[in-house]
Amino acid sequence: MEVELNEVLESKIFTKENSLVTFQSPKAYLQPFLDIVENQNFSCKVQDAVVNENEDHSRNTAFPRVALEARVGSQVAGYDSVIGVIFALNIQSPVIKVYTGQNAHACTNLTIFNATAVSQYSLMNDYSDVYRKADYYLKQKEAEIEQFVRVRENLLNEFYNEEELKKELGRLLLATTKKNSKVSYGAIAGASRLIQDSNSIYYQKPGDSLSKMTLYDAITQNITDSVDLLYKPNKTIAVSQLLGIS
């Protein structure tokens, strides 16, 4: 669910019942990131909000999962270049992570080709490196964008005919059945449905070829449609790796 940034910054500290862990306020986690990517356009999403009512019927809201994304750097046509920070407090090992990538306008899919573009830290230990990594991503943004443009151009010019696409989808489906697969069977099956749906932007008309970029986007659409905030960057990278993109 998308909310106003100030609503999150002013929200209460999340507490875990019967837990010895003491968390900080959302502002304490997010403000150092905001200071690094200052004067940017932000979008903020939350998950699993906890609302408590006071005796005077006023309400306190705490957000155990927050994803804050900033648009930074020069923009590629059809994409927003972003850096994001995510924290999750309501899991067994609370974490905070930072990532850098591109968001497509047409489908709002996140695109990350490089595995080093996501960094994760435990909130049970010193996690200050998350902000140093955000600063590094910001300084490297233009170089990242240049690489993204090159890789995307290659993917747009690599095509599957109908038979090749069937074989590739079969390979991908089999790969998802492996024990250590980070891409779900449902993501590949969902992409297959979208490619065959004449109302989909990923539709492949009989006899036409489909670009590898379109296949990538069709698979990552499943990630975009998921309500989960925490694993979106990691799942996006997993798709890139499965398709051999780097």
Side-chain angles (χ1 to χ4, degrees):
M1 177 178 70
E2 190 154 354
V3 298
E4 291 295 325
L5 175 57
N6 282 339
E7 185 179 348
V8 174
L9 295 178
E10 296 170 4
S11 64
K12 302 298 181 181
I13 294 175
F14 173 73
T15 57
K16 213 182 221 181
E17 191 174 353
N18 301 321
S19 174
L20 298 177
V21 180
T22 300
F23 296 115
Q24 298 188 67
S25 68
K27 186 172 184 178
Y29 294 126
L30 299 177
Q31 191 61 56
F33 176 79
L34 292 168
D35 292 341
I36 291 167
V37 291
E38 58 185 351
N39 301 322
Q40 306 294 340
N41 294 312
F42 295 98
S43 66
C44 190
K45 294 181 180 180
V46 299
Q47 187 180 348
D48 304 335
V50 178
V51 182
N52 296 310
E53 189 170 293
N54 301 316
E55 290 184 2
D56 63 358
H57 301 297
S58 61
R59 292 186 171 188
N60 296 324
T61 303
F63 299 109
R65 293 196 187 195
V66 176
L68 176 63
E69 203 170 71
R71 282 181 297 211
V72 298
S74 60
Q75 305 301 313
V76 179
Y79 292 82
D80 286 325
S81 189
V82 299
I83 297 176
V85 63
I86 304 171
F87 67 75
L89 311 179
N90 58 345
I91 57 178
Q92 186 172 358
S93 300
V95 297
I96 186 167
K97 63 178 66 175
V98 63
Y99 65 90
T100 180
Q102 321 293 323
N103 271 342
H105 294 169
C107 51
T108 69
N109 292 4
L110 178 64
T111 301
I112 303 176
F113 296 142
N114 194 331
T116 63
V118 179
S119 300
Q120 178 173 306
Y121 304 87
S122 170
L123 286 172
M124 308 300 290
N125 302 310
D126 179 15
Y127 57 88
S128 57
D129 276 351
V130 73
Y131 306 115
R132 284 189 279 273
K133 185 63 75 169
D135 184 59
Y136 173 79
Y137 286 157
L138 184 62
K139 290 174 179 174
Q140 296 295 314
K141 198 60 177 171
E142 293 306 316
E144 176 210 323
I145 291 171
E146 289 177 8
Q147 181 189 35
F148 165 76
V149 171
R150 288 195 300 271
V151 174
R152 179 175 177 270
E153 188 67 22
N154 290 337
L155 297 177
L156 285 170
N157 287 288
E158 186 174 343
F159 293 93
Y160 304 97
N161 61 34
E162 285 187 81
E163 284 304 311
E164 290 169 337
L165 181 60
K166 288 177 183 177
K167 288 181 180 179
E168 178 66 352
L169 287 171
R171 181 189 73 82
L172 297 174
L173 286 169
L174 285 173
T176 64
T177 63
K178 294 180 180 178
K179 188 175 181 180
N180 61 348
S181 175
K182 296 179 182 178
V183 180
S184 71
Y185 181 95
I188 307 303
S192 180
R193 286 191 293 270
L194 290 172
I195 290 167
Q196 297 176 77
D197 181 357
S198 60
N199 294 315
S200 166
I201 60 173
Y202 309 114
Y203 177 55
Q204 181 194 37
K205 295 179 182 178
D208 283 359
S209 296
L210 189 83
S211 74
K212 193 169 185 176
M213 189 70 216
T214 301
L215 176 60
Y216 175 90
D217 285 337
I219 298 171
T220 56
Q221 187 65 60
N222 175 271
I223 302 170
T224 299
D225 294 341
S226 170
V227 297
D228 180 75
L229 299 175
L230 180 59
Y231 299 106
K232 182 176 182 178
N234 305 79
K235 289 180 178 180
T236 301
I237 288 175
V239 173
S240 298
Q241 293 173 330
L242 186 60
L243 288 172
I245 302 170
S246 60

